[in-house]
Amino acid sequence: DLSSRVGFVGLGKIGFAMASNICSKHKLLVYDMDRAQSSKLQRDNQDNIEIATSASAVASHCDILITALPNDSILSNVVESEIYRHQPPDAIHISCSTVSPDTSALLARLQH
């Protein structure tokens, strides 16, 4: 649905490239703990990027949330403490993180 609000958390090498591609066609609300990454993405795509102050802010304002975080521990921590507590009930979380199948299964159970 093109009217859905899309968010992106994690703008490292992979996340930055993915978010750049998505924002060429869709507005994004983004967050990365390295504010410079968010600012660079916004400079390159001014009309389609809004920077959030936290992962929870992205989660609470988006229908679709994409994460690209570097490992199991960081993904689990961010999702459990910031994302799933603040996401609207019908929101979708798409994890593009490099994590174990066990972490993916745990997050799927937590979301439902």
Side-chain angles (χ1 to χ4, degrees):
D1 178 359
L2 292 176
S3 66
S4 295
R5 183 94 191 257
V6 179
F8 207 104
V9 174
L11 299 173
K13 188 181 287 188
I14 301 288
F16 190 93
M18 292 174 68
S20 292
N21 285 330
I22 294 168
C23 75
S24 70
K25 304 260 188 227
H26 203 87
K27 292 184 183 289
L28 283 178
L29 178 62
V30 301
Y31 174 75
D32 191 274
M33 58 187 294
D34 179 358
R35 175 78 182 198
Q37 285 295 94
S38 301
S39 296
K40 182 177 184 242
L41 186 64
Q42 187 177 48
R43 261 192 320 276
D44 295 346
N45 305 279
Q46 280 190 316
D47 294 336
N48 285 338
I49 297 294
E50 181 182 348
I51 299 173
T53 57
S54 65
S56 57
V58 176
S60 65
H61 290 95
C62 293
D63 306 305
I64 300 168
L65 175 61
I66 302 164
T67 52
L69 298 168
N71 60 48
D72 295 64
S73 176
I74 293 170
L75 177 65
S76 295
N77 184 32
V78 170
V79 168
E80 289 182 64
S81 65
E82 296 193 57
I83 293 175
Y84 288 171
R85 290 182 182 186
H86 299 280
Q87 258 189 326
D90 293 335
I92 297 168
H93 171 222
I94 302 166
S95 174
C96 299
S97 304
T98 304
V99 296
S100 71
D102 290 340
T103 296
S104 294
L106 171 67
L107 297 179
R109 285 192 304 274
L110 289 173
Q111 189 171 26
H112 297 290

